[in-house]
Amino acid sequence: MSQNIQKDSGFEPFKGIDTLATHAGYNPREHESLSCPAIPPISLSTTFYQKAPGEHFGFDYSRAGNPTRDFLEKALATLEGARFAAAFSSGLAVQSALVQQLKSGDSVICNDDVYGGTNRYFRTISSNAGIKTHFVNLATDLPGLAKCLQSDSAVRMVWIETPTNPLMKLIDVRAVSEAVKKVNKDILVVCDNTFLSPVFQRPLELGADVVMHSMTKYINGHSDVVMGCCMTNSAQLHEWLTYNQKSAGATPSPFDCWLAHRGLRTLPLRMRQHMANGLAVARHLEASRHVDRVLHPGLESHPQHQLAKRQQRGYSGMVSAYLRVDASAFVSALRLFTLAESLGGFESLAEVPSIMTHASVPPDQRAELGITDSFVRLSVGLEDIDDLLADLDQALEKAAKPATGDDGGAASDAKRRRTSKNGQ
Ligand code: P1T
């Protein structure tokens, strides 16, 4: 039973999570007029018949609402233990919708290490709208959070991501939420739960007001959909989010909603296998002479290992490491891991954040965080673990050899790419 993978590591699975994932959002018995299809139908129609002007049957226009999206949103709310969910066309579109509630002159506190695109949004798009962002190390500096809240009374939102991308720092969601609410209960605590999925962490139960995901990652799980979602127990906030879907328009297609709903059916099974493979990779790399330091909250060496055990219900397949070999040569030499951005799909991926996903983070901020050129991030997939470890070993050995020209040009290709600024 796959739950044993979780239980053997000392985690208690959320009650009924496998049944919820299998059935959430759609019940065939409720769709007699459609002949009770066993899986949700895809409603591609952009518009819906009205029997009199303004009198429709639940949907009028697909940007505002769509039956296939509705099924998915119900499933997402159920999995996250939330009252409401709203799906958007990407994870960044969720950030955009949440930030659009704020006004010029308002401020945000964001933890210092977040996905490069999240950082970029706050530094450029939000700031162009007159919204200031303070980046604070919320993993270790709670006094810094209190100081920031005290010194800037315009803070309206605190944005956390845990584990962080790509440094795998953990934020104590309960402690941060309590510290924020003590100052002002109207400040919104948003938690990006992308790295763990609702199978391994439910931030709303830990005190956050909103939980968001890049559904592009674990929830969909098949690297074939770009989408985001946002869950809350606040009717007022959900009303804003659905108003934003309708009025700003960053909504996903019915087909993508259907794919994501299909993907989440196997989320608990996949997460447990990601966890097993991720831990095995982390331990293997930690023992390698070619690796300086491995970052994975399941390792005893992780400074917040105890917080992980308390706050999470498992670990994902995300592993980061500082190498003693050329990181670009290493990722270029991998054969089973695909050298690519993104994460959370069934297949293993590897990347160099400083050149790829976090290239848009200003160099001084990257240097301060420790996102160096010897730092790699792995999204460990569902392959046989022996094959994954063998692939990592051969790539480390290859990268450790002085360049002799027998690497098929991998090292020099990687060097060339270092000058590219195409990171997403
Ligand atoms: O790509 P999109 O669906 O818009 O989601 C943005 C996003 C938000 N939050 C986290 C934690 C993320 O990791 C991402 C996207 N991240 C990558 C593409 C990446 O490779 O890290």
Side-chain angles (χ1 to χ4, degrees), residues 95-209:
Q95 183 178 1
S96 181
L98 287 166
V99 170
Q100 280 167 22
Q101 291 174 97
L102 309 184
K103 296 182 181 59
S104 175
D106 288 347
S107 302
V108 174
I109 297 175
C110 178
N111 66 269
D112 57 355
D113 180 42
V114 283
Y115 166 55
T118 306
N119 172 303
R120 182 177 55 207
Y121 189 96
F122 283 133
R123 272 187 309 98
T124 59
I125 311 280
S126 301
S127 72
N128 286 347
I131 298 158
K132 183 174 172 179
T133 300
H134 306 274
F135 291 96
V136 177
N137 181 350
L138 298 176
T140 56
D141 191 11
L142 283 190
L145 168 66
K147 217 165 105 192
C148 195
L149 286 165
Q150 266 157 20
S151 64
D152 185 351
S153 59
V155 173
R156 297 283 171 270
M157 180 184 285
V158 174
W159 189 283
I160 57 185
E161 190 181 285
T162 179
T164 63
N165 180 0
L167 291 161
M168 305 298 288
K169 297 197 257 184
L170 303 191
I171 314 296
D172 186 332
V173 181
R174 196 179 293 283
V176 166
S177 303
E178 283 174 8
V180 170
K181 299 296 170 181
K182 221 188 303 175
V183 174
N184 181 349
K185 65 176 178 34
D186 294 331
I187 296 173
L188 218 56
V189 177
V190 182
C191 183
D192 184 331
N193 200 20
T194 299
F195 266 34
L196 285 178
S197 93
V199 173
F200 287 158
Q201 183 167 267
R202 284 186 179 161
L204 296 180
E205 293 176 7
L206 300 169
D209 299 297

